[in-house]
């Protein structure tokens, strides 16, 4: 049997072309599915980053003010006069002055503002920390605070922070 002298037919060419086409289509689908999986993974990682960063930031801030009278919750009018939101106020005494750090959401961002206790601040003047759509805090009891955060993708997260110092002697305002 002499394979070198075999005549090539159009069927051989079409078979090779079909095999190459099937390989190309399969490779295209693998790349498209991989791109979709990568996009989903990146979106989930960004969402988790926003949630965990906001939770960690708020938890560390409130824990750094874990002493009697160190943290209070209030509802205040935001920069839009019709909009009212939760504000976490964290108090710190430095020498004979008392300072307040306000944590709040304005224009889609978690913001922080620190000033003298007597200073009446504007919500727009806070330092931008992280992009989140909504932030609410409620004092559940003397040492437990409930936080609700809605991230920039609209996903809601609820978490609790317990203070070890106990009561601050006042109810939330």
């Amino acid at each position: 049997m002499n394979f070198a002298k075999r005549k090539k037919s159009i069927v051989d060419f079409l078979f090779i072309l079909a095999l190459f086409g099937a390989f190309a289509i399969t490779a295209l689908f693998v790349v498209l599915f991989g791109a979709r999986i990568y996009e989903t993974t990146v979106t989930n990682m960004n969402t988790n980053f926003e949630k965990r960063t906001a939770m960690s930031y708020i938890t560390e801030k409130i824990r750094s003010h874990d002493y009697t009278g160190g943290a209070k919750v209030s509802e205040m009018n935001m920069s839009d006069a019709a909009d009212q939101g939760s504000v976490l106020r964290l108090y710190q005494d430095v020498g004979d002055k008392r300072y307040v750090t306000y944590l709040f959401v304005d224009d889609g961002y978690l913001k922080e503002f620190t000033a003298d206790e007597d200073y009446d601040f504007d919500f727009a003047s806070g330092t931008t920390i992280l992009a989140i759509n909504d932030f609410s805090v409620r004092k559940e009891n003397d040492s437990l605070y409930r936080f609700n955060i809605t991230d920039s993708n609209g996903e809601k997260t609820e978490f609790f922070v317990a203070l070890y110092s106990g009561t601050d002697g006042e109810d939330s305002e």
Side-chain angles (χ1 to χ4, degrees), residues 24 27 37 45 57 85-86 102 105 115 127 129 137 158 160-161 169:
I37 290 169
M45 286 177 60
Y57 185 80
S86 296
Y102 300 90
V105 167
T127 303
I129 304 298
V137 57
E158 177 181 64
F160 295 84
V161 178

Side-chain angles (χ1 to χ4, degrees), residues 29-164:
F29 280 127
V30 167
V31 169
L32 290 176
F33 288 138
R36 180 168 292 188
I37 290 169
Y38 178 76
E39 180 182 12
T40 302
T41 302
V42 168
T43 302
N44 289 340
M45 286 177 60
N46 286 339
T47 299
N48 286 335
F49 172 77
E50 286 179 2
K51 285 182 187 180
R52 289 177 188 215
T53 302
M55 288 171 37
S56 296
Y57 185 80
I58 292 167
T59 301
E60 289 304 314
K61 274 300 212 183
I62 198 168
R63 291 240 169 100
S64 69
H65 293 81
D66 188 0
Y67 46 83
T68 303
K72 294 186 178 128
V73 177
S74 61
E75 295 290 323
M76 299 178 87
N77 289 333
M78 302 308 215
S79 53
D80 180 5
D83 192 21
Q84 192 170 24
S86 296
V87 176
L88 179 63
R89 296 181 297 159
L90 304 168
Y91 294 89
Q92 182 175 7
D93 294 323
V94 178
D96 61 344
K97 288 210 168 226
R98 186 163 172 98
Y99 293 93
V100 182
T101 299
Y102 300 90
L103 287 178
F104 58 95
V105 167
D106 186 52
D107 292 331
Y109 290 96
L110 177 65
K111 292 186 175 183
E112 174 182 342
F113 185 79
T114 302
D116 188 279
E117 184 178 32
D118 299 327
Y119 183 78
D120 188 26
F121 78 100
D122 179 20
F123 283 93
S125 62
T127 303
T128 300
I129 304 298
L130 186 66
I132 61 175
N133 289 338
D134 191 30
F135 167 80
S136 67
V137 57
R138 190 172 82 200
K139 186 175 180 180
E140 294 294 316
N141 61 37
D142 287 340
S143 61
L144 186 65
Y145 292 84
R146 176 195 307 240
F147 294 90
N148 290 300
I149 296 173
T150 304
D151 65 15
S152 59
N153 294 326
E155 291 190 31
K156 296 181 180 186
T157 303
E158 177 181 64
F159 65 100
F160 295 84
V161 178
L163 298 182
Y164 302 108

Side-chain angles (χ1 to χ4, degrees), residues 16-36:
I16 292 172
L17 187 62
L19 195 60
F20 177 74
F23 173 75
I25 289 173
T26 303
L28 180 66
F29 280 127
V30 167
V31 169
L32 290 176
F33 288 138
R36 180 168 292 188

